[in-house]
Amino acid sequence: MSLKIGVPSKGRLMEKTFDWFGARGVTMVRTGSEREYAGAVEGIGGVELVLLSAGEIPRELAAGRIHLGVTGSDLVRDKLADWNKQVAELAPLGFGHADLIIAVPACWIDVDTLDDLDAAASAFRARHGFRLRIATKYHRLVRDFLTANGVADYQLVDSQGATEGTVKNLTAEAIADITSTGETLRANHLKILTDAVIHRSQATLFLSHRADWGAERAVLEALVAKLGLSAPALSG
């Protein structure tokens, strides 16, 4: 058996992850053709590289099909209920930074805070007869955040892409989305509420509490020592 580590299968997240491990003496490489999701790990024995989409990695960690995984901290928190009972954060990796925020039309000059949004949502429902729509793909994080902050008269509408365009297309009145620079928001005439940063995300190395940690415990100890990390507590 080998310790399986899930890594994003393409793009900057994959490259940055390979760089992070490589700088610590663990070399990760893709093998086979560009269309094959296969890879290899050098510099330590007993570790198998599993290439997945960043969005799949939280599910695979929760199912115990991989022992470790690199993905955005936002994805783990949104996709997994009681995420910290299913996985543990081993290390923030220092790249892939982005903020999950709530943004409204820039022309809403009287709406700058969550309290303003709550008032606007109540007025919107009274005027239009339905709840103000917030487009997002981060349903759990957004709902929990708004509930904790007392915002009530809204509904979440699913958006799996081009969320910034939903307001212009009249399918939502506000959005909750990931942004790193804010440029796309500004280009779509949206502004971020001053107190509505829901989560500051970055790529993070996670450990699965659900995986089978038999012989893999020794491999984990060797790996974290090589990476310069503290040995995690394992359940079971």
Side-chain angles (χ1 to χ4, degrees):
M1 298 296 291
S2 57
L3 185 153
K4 295 182 179 180
I5 178 168
V7 168
S9 59
K10 59 185 177 180
R12 286 181 57 82
L13 271 182
M14 182 188 75
E15 294 168 3
K16 292 282 191 180
T17 300
F18 284 10
D19 290 346
W20 189 89
F21 279 89
R24 291 157 178 81
V26 178
T27 302
M28 294 179 169
V29 293
R30 288 195 67 155
T31 58
S33 70
E34 280 296 311
R35 294 179 181 272
E36 289 183 85
Y37 292 118
V41 178
E42 301 169 0
I44 189 167
V47 178
E48 178 183 345
L49 181 61
V50 181
L51 295 172
L52 300 161
S53 73
E56 289 177 309
I57 290 173
R59 181 188 65 205
E60 295 300 294
L61 286 164
R65 288 188 286 264
I66 57 176
H67 298 85
L68 303 176
V70 174
T71 190
S73 55
D74 59 307
L75 293 176
V76 163
R77 284 162 172 78
D78 193 67
K79 290 179 179 293
L80 304 183
D82 295 324
W83 67 271
N84 52 358
K85 295 180 180 178
Q86 301 188 62
V87 301
E89 289 186 339
L90 282 189
L93 304 188
F95 57 85
H97 293 280
D99 294 341
L100 176 58
I101 54 82
I102 297 174
V104 300
C107 61
W108 288 13
I109 58 174
D110 294 329
V111 180
D112 292 307
T113 68
L114 287 167
D115 283 345
D116 296 337
L117 179 64
D118 185 45
S122 297
F124 182 93
R125 187 179 186 187
R127 180 175 182 180
H128 297 282
F130 62 93
R131 296 176 187 267
L132 182 146
R133 297 165 296 177
I134 302 174
T136 190
K137 68 177 182 179
Y138 296 93
H139 291 247
R140 190 190 311 278
L141 280 172
V142 174
R143 184 171 56 248
D144 290 351
F145 179 80
L146 291 174
T147 298
N149 284 278
V151 181
D153 279 325
Y154 70 91
Q155 58 181 313
L156 297 182
V157 294
D158 192 52
S159 174
Q160 294 297 321
T163 301
E164 298 91 343
T166 56
V167 174
K168 181 179 180 181
N169 294 332
L170 305 180
T171 55
E173 286 69 51
I175 72 165
D177 202 15
I178 282 285
T179 183
S180 54
T181 65
E183 290 182 9
T184 304
L185 295 173
R186 289 188 289 273
N188 284 277
H189 310 291
L190 299 171
K191 64 179 181 180
I192 301 172
L193 297 182
T194 58
D195 55 354
V197 176
I198 299 170
H199 177 66
R200 298 192 186 278
S201 181
Q202 66 173 300
T204 302
L205 176 61
F206 290 95
L207 174 144
S208 170
H209 287 313
R210 303 284 177 83
D212 181 5
W213 290 101
E216 293 81 5
R217 287 174 183 259
V219 180
L220 176 66
E221 290 174 2
L223 179 60
V224 296
K226 194 171 185 71
L227 297 175
L229 304 177
S230 299
L234 294 176
S235 57

